[in-house]
Amino acid sequence: MIQEEIRETEPKISKKIWLSSPHMGGNELNYIHEAFDTNWVAPLGPNVDGFECDLASYLKDGVSVAALSSGTAAIHLALILIGVKEGDEVICQSFTFSASANPIIYQKATPIFVDSEADTWNMCPVLLKEAIKDRISLGKKPKAIIPVHLYGMPSKMEEILAVAKEYQIPVIEDAAEALGSHFNGKKMGTLGALAALSFNGNKIITTSGGGAIVSENAAIIEKARFLATQARDNAPHYEHSHIGYNYRMSNICAGIGRGQMEVLDERVNKRREIFAFYEEHLGKLPGISFQPEADGAFSNRWLTAMIVNSSLTGGITREDIRLSLATCNIESRPLWKPMHLQPVFEDYPYYDNNVSRVLFNNGLCLPSGSNLEKEDLERVVTKIKELINKA
Ligand SMILES: *Cc1c(COP(=O)(O)O)cnc(C)c1O
């Protein structure tokens, strides 16, 4: 009796709602079984080849792809292939995840951080040009530019590529969050000299962990494969004339990737529906706005990112909302903290216009996984509405 009474008065713990969790399509295990049946349990094999083909044909005719162990590895190899060395400077979008910038340090080069613009939240082309001019006047031309398509939103690539062309600096697109996004029909990941994709567990599709490097230059991707498999020269013994890396994707992980490619478009549509649901139900609340999508841009809406202006919400801040969601077992997360504000990068040069700082201070990513149910989204929306309407 007593036990039952206690059970009845216990608060009910609702199901955890994650920010973005893996969402299998159904065919992944078939590809993995095939790998086991044929004993291709290695960092090469038919699934790796197949996954690379699937990605290339999805992205663009004639593009080459090498599947790697992570998106970070892809950015690292891109820097190596461009010839970034000790002492070189590389321009990187400040408003991003640290993996965009860490490989610059792996190369003992210097990251130069450039702030965002308000239209896309990505690298500001005007500030980029100012930064390049300033670096040149200080005696060094940057060796590469790394723009990012944050939360799937295409950055202003036409403008960025124009500046890059004017100064003859190659662009490495960090498209880790943007598989399935496009601008005027051109897919993200096909616009830079090289591009990086990520298939980490939280991304729009996953291989559990993995990435890919993309380029229209087939020879450069062949070189990426060579460096990613320990740089073994053509010889019967192990002969090395370069320092190599162990960066290839396993044939098991690539099997997951092949299954995921079958449902990529579905996943993009679902994430866009989730964004539209939040915008419809929260967008009219005072002080709430969302990451804008410019004319011509099509974002995969990997994560729905919301801005909270506490001077209009009756004092409710981004943190109030995050903490209140957490008490209901709902995961949400502040936007990326800009790299120029990170302790580990504080000594590096940056070109700041305050845009990313304000976005970081007021922005929140809402649960956006394609496996979320309508009831989950309703729980999120109800909680936020409750908080703001009470204020
Ligand atoms: C996830 C991510 C990466 C790194 O990808 P991994 O596969 O996790 O190494 C790089 N840049 C951005 C913007 C990312 O979101």
Side-chain angles (χ1 to χ4, degrees), residues 69-75 95-101 148-151 174-177 196-203 209-212 302 336:
S69 53
S70 71
T72 312
I75 297 170
F95 196 29
T96 185
F97 176 49
S98 63
S100 306
V148 185
H149 311 301
L150 222 55
Y151 307 119
D174 181 345
E177 301 178 1
L197 301 173
S198 168
F199 313 109
N200 195 23
N202 59 352
K203 297 283 156 66
W302 171 55
W336 298 125

Side-chain angles (χ1 to χ4, degrees), residues 20 59 81 133 144 163 191 219 235 294 334 349 372:
S20 178
L59 287 170
L81 291 162
K133 285 207 277 206
V163 174
L191 300 171
L372 292 175

Side-chain angles (χ1 to χ4, degrees), residues 11 31 39 47 64 84 89 108 126 164 167 173 177 230 242 245 280 296 302:
Y31 290 108
N39 206 26
N47 281 336
S64 296
V84 171
E89 292 189 351
K108 299 189 167 67
V126 178
Y167 292 92
E173 249 186 298
E177 301 178 1
Q230 307 286 24
H242 289 82
Y245 301 84
E280 184 192 340
W302 171 55

